[in-house]
Amino acid sequence: QMDVKTAFLNGNIDETIYMVQPENFVSEEPKNMVCKLTKSIYGLKQASRQWYHKFHQVIISFGFEINVVEDCVYHKFSGSRYIFLVLYVDDM
């Protein structure tokens, strides 16, 4: 089992998202400016979906196949070995 501590950080974003300036990072001129996100951050509604999409691409590139019934279960058969990977939010 493993826990991915930074799972939702630095994920790619497929859409344009703006946010208000963080509390301790406010630019003096003008204060009503916003930040355009280029990477995912914690608290963003799309963060978990983006992380899953990236995880899926990487795990498929290692030869795993997605389970037909459950999208969060991957499997790989190699000779007489069976590998099952079960994904729960950001835990494996």
Side-chain angles (χ1 to χ4, degrees):
Q1 180 178 353
M2 67 179 279
D3 182 23
V4 182
K5 298 288 185 198
T6 58
F8 297 154
L9 295 178
N10 301 315
N12 297 330
I13 297 178
D14 298 333
E15 52 198 278
T16 304
I17 299 176
Y18 296 95
M19 65 176 265
V20 297
Q21 296 179 50
E23 244 179 70
N24 296 325
F25 192 74
V26 176
S27 175
E28 294 300 320
E29 292 185 29
K31 289 186 181 220
N32 61 347
M33 290 182 71
V34 294
C35 300
K36 180 180 178 182
L37 297 180
T38 57
K39 295 286 185 178
S40 183
I41 60 172
Y42 278 101
L44 188 63
K45 289 180 183 179
Q46 294 88 340
S48 59
R49 183 179 187 283
Q50 291 305 119
W51 182 80
Y52 174 78
H53 181 67
K54 189 173 216 172
F55 176 85
H56 175 79
Q57 290 176 329
V58 170
I59 208 70
I60 293 296
S61 74
F62 286 119
F64 281 83
E65 296 178 18
I66 194 163
N67 185 293
V68 178
V69 177
E70 179 58 56
D71 289 342
C72 293
V73 176
Y74 293 85
H75 62 272
K76 182 177 182 178
F77 303 116
S78 179
S80 63
R81 295 182 182 170
Y82 299 102
I83 302 170
F84 289 93
L85 190 142
V86 180
L87 183 63
Y88 179 76
V89 185
D90 61 349
D91 296 324
M92 289 179 266

